[in-house]
C-alpha cells in the first residue's frame, strides 16, 4: 500500500516559471486528503523550497540540498550533513584553478564570496545560459534576478567564510560549456567523502557523501515507519539517481528524464507536460494497493 510520495522539483513538479501548477497542487491536496504523505526531495535550499510551497499553499515534509537537510511538515529539522570546512577549502581551490565560480549553500541560506555586481554578472552570463542548454523553455526574468541577488548572504572573501559560523551543505557551479565540467569532476576526486551529482548537462552539485537524495529519503521514511514498497519516488535528472535506484521503491521517471534515469525506473509518466505529477497521483488514488502507471 502506498503511504509516501517523494517528488523532485525542477523538471518534475515545477513548470518553466519554477511554480507548482494548479493541477499538480490540487492533485497533491487530494493525495493528502487520502492520508498519503507527500514530500519534496530537491537540490534546492530549504528557504527557497519553503517559498515555492507557500505560493502553492502546500504544507509538506522537505528534503533539501540533495539530502543535506531534512524537515518535517511543521518545519522541524530532522537532519543535516555538512561538507567539512577543510574540504570546502580544497573544493574552492580547485574551482579557482579551473576558473569556475562556486555557489555556496549553508544552514543560513545561499552565500556568495562574489560582490552583488559580480554575482549578477555570473547569473546572467553563465548560470542562465547553462540552464537553458537542457531546458530551452526556462524563463528567468529581471525580477527573478533581482530577487536572487537580494536573498543572497554576501561574504567578504574566502577568509571571512572560513572564520564564520557558516557550515556548508552544498556547493554548485554551472558552465555553458558542459565539456569543461568533466575536467572539474576529475579534479574533485582529490577531495574525499564527496557526493557529486547534476541536474543537467551544464551543472555540478557537491555535497557530503552522506548527503544524497536516496539516503535522505530513507532517513525520512524511517522517522515515519514507511517501508520501501510503500514509497513512490519521481524525478528526472542525475541528482535523482540515488533516490530512484533505491531497492524496493516504486520509481517513476518523468517523460523528460535523462536516459540514465529512464533506464533505472520502473515507470515513466506518459507525456512531457508540467502536470505529470497529477497524472501519477491519479494512478495512485485509483488503487494505492496495486499502484501502476497506465
Amino acid at each position: 500500500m502506498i503511504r509516501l510520495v517523494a517528488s523532485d522539483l525542477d523538471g518534475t513538479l515545477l513548470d518553466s516559471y519554477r511554480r507548482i501548477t494548479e493541477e499538480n497542487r490540487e492533485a497533491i491536496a487530494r493525495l493528502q486528503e487520502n492520508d498519503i504523505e507527500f514530500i519534496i526531495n530537491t537540490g534546492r535550499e530549504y528557504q527557497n523550497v519553503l517559498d515555492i510551497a507557500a505560493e502553492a499553499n502546500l504544507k509538506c515534509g522537505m528534503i533539501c540540498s540533495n539530502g543535506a537537510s531534512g524537515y518535517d511538515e511543521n518545519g522541524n529539522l530532522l537532519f543535516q550533513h555538512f561538507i567539512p570546512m577543510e574540504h570546502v577549502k580544497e573544493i574552492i581551490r580547485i574551482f579557482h584553478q579551473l576558473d569556475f565560480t562556486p555557489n555556496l549553500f549553508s544552514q543560513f541560506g545561499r552565500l556568495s564570496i562574489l560582490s552583488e555586481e559580480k554575482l549578477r554578472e555570473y547569473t546572467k552570463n553563465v548560470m542562465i545560459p547553462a540552464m537553458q542548454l537542457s531546458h530551452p523553455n526556462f524563463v528567468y526574468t529581471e525580477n527573478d534576478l533581482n530577487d536572487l541577488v537580494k536573498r543572497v548572504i554576501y561574504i567578504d572573501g574566502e577568509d571571512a567564510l572560513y572564520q564564520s559560523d557558516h557550515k556548508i551543505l552544498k556547493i554548485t557551479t554551472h558552465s555553458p560549456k558542459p565539456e569543461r565540467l568533466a575536467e572539474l569532476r576529475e579534479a574533485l576526486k582529490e577531495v574525499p567523502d564527496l557526493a557529486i551529482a547534476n541536474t543537467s548537462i551544464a551543472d555540478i552539485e557537491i555535497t557530503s557523501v552522506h548527503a544524497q537524495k536516496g539516503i535522505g529519503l530513507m532517513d525520512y521514511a524511517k522517522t515515519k515507519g514507511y517501508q520501501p514498497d510503500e514509497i513512490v519516488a519521481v524525478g528526472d535528472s542525475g541528482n535523482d539517481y540515488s533516490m530512484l535506484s533505491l531497492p524496493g521503491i516504486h520509481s517513476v521517471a518523468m517523460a523528460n528524464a535523462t536516459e540514465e534515469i529512464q533506464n533505472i525506473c520502473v515507470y515513466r509518466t506518459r507525456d512531457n507536460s508540467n502536470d505529470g505529477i497529477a497524472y501519477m497521483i491519479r494512478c495512485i488514488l485509483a488503487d494505492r494497493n496495486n499502484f501502476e502507471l497506465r
Side-chain angles (χ1 to χ4, degrees):
M1 181 172 70
I2 304 304
R3 299 175 63 196
L4 174 67
V5 174
S7 174
D8 171 48
L9 275 183
D10 295 278
T12 301
L13 182 59
L14 303 184
D15 63 17
S16 58
Y17 291 89
R18 297 169 303 287
R19 296 187 179 95
I20 299 173
T21 67
E22 183 64 16
E23 186 172 349
N24 281 340
R25 188 196 68 76
E26 291 178 355
I28 293 167
R30 289 196 297 274
L31 192 76
Q32 293 172 325
E33 288 166 4
N34 281 271
D35 296 321
I36 300 174
E37 185 172 3
F38 180 88
I39 65 169
I40 291 169
N41 195 350
T42 178
R44 289 176 178 255
E45 70 273 22
Y46 176 63
Q47 188 56 55
N48 185 229
V49 184
L50 203 61
D51 292 343
I52 291 170
E55 185 179 19
N57 197 29
L58 172 61
K59 184 178 181 181
C60 65
M62 299 173 183
I63 300 168
C64 303
S65 300
N66 284 348
S69 61
Y71 302 82
D72 69 14
E73 63 273 19
N74 296 313
N76 298 309
L77 179 67
L78 300 175
F79 57 83
Q80 284 184 318
H81 303 291
F82 301 107
I83 304 172
M85 195 56 79
E86 62 267 25
H87 294 170
V88 173
K89 291 180 182 180
E90 277 298 292
I91 293 166
I92 292 178
R93 179 189 66 78
I94 292 169
F95 272 41
H96 289 333
Q97 181 181 329
L98 297 178
D99 195 27
F100 284 93
T101 298
N103 304 305
L104 306 164
F105 300 85
S106 83
Q107 77 275 35
F108 302 124
R110 180 173 178 171
L111 313 178
S112 179
I113 53 178
L114 301 177
S115 67
E116 181 175 332
E117 180 182 355
K118 289 291 186 183
L119 178 62
R120 183 181 292 271
E121 182 180 315
Y122 165 80
T123 303
K124 291 181 73 171
N125 298 332
V126 178
M127 189 187 87
I128 295 174
M131 295 178 77
Q132 289 173 334
L133 284 178
S134 294
H135 304 287
N137 296 325
F138 175 80
V139 178
Y140 211 91
T141 67
E142 193 68 23
N143 285 339
D144 292 329
L145 179 58
N146 291 335
D147 186 55
L148 184 150
V149 298
K150 287 177 182 176
R151 289 173 178 267
V152 169
I153 301 167
Y154 293 93
I155 305 293
D156 189 17
E158 292 169 39
D159 288 341
L161 169 66
Y162 303 144
Q163 295 167 17
S164 73
D165 293 329
H166 290 283
K167 296 180 180 179
I168 303 302
L169 293 162
K170 185 178 75 164
I171 302 173
T172 73
T173 195
H174 299 80
S175 176
K177 299 178 179 179
E179 64 277 5
R180 293 203 61 233
L181 294 172
E183 183 181 2
L184 178 59
R185 274 182 175 268
E186 186 64 27
L188 288 168
K189 290 180 180 179
E190 297 177 18
V191 187
D193 299 327
L194 299 182
I196 301 175
N198 64 284
T199 63
S200 75
I201 60 171
D203 69 53
I204 275 183
E205 301 191 335
I206 305 163
T207 57
S208 160
V209 71
H210 304 293
Q212 300 180 53
K213 284 190 176 185
I215 295 172
L217 175 55
M218 293 316 299
D219 284 346
Y220 188 95
K222 287 174 186 174
T223 68
K224 301 296 186 78
Y226 301 139
Q227 299 303 310
D229 64 357
E230 297 175 321
I231 300 170
V232 175
V234 57
D236 72 307
S237 63
N239 70 342
D240 297 312
Y241 189 96
S242 66
M243 170 175 69
L244 298 175
S245 60
L246 288 169
I249 71 164
H250 303 273
S251 55
V252 181
M254 294 296 289
N256 58 288
T258 64
E259 183 177 357
E260 175 188 49
I261 293 301
Q262 291 183 32
N263 287 341
I264 63 168
C265 285
V266 178
Y267 303 104
R268 179 183 175 188
T269 58
R270 63 183 176 182
D271 61 47
N272 216 7
S273 75
N274 293 318
D275 300 310
I277 294 294
Y279 163 66
M280 184 190 73
I281 288 174
R282 286 194 294 271
C283 292
I284 294 171
L285 293 177
D287 189 348
R288 62 187 292 185
N289 290 308
N290 296 286
F291 166 67
E292 61 178 26
L293 290 190
R294 298 170 176 80

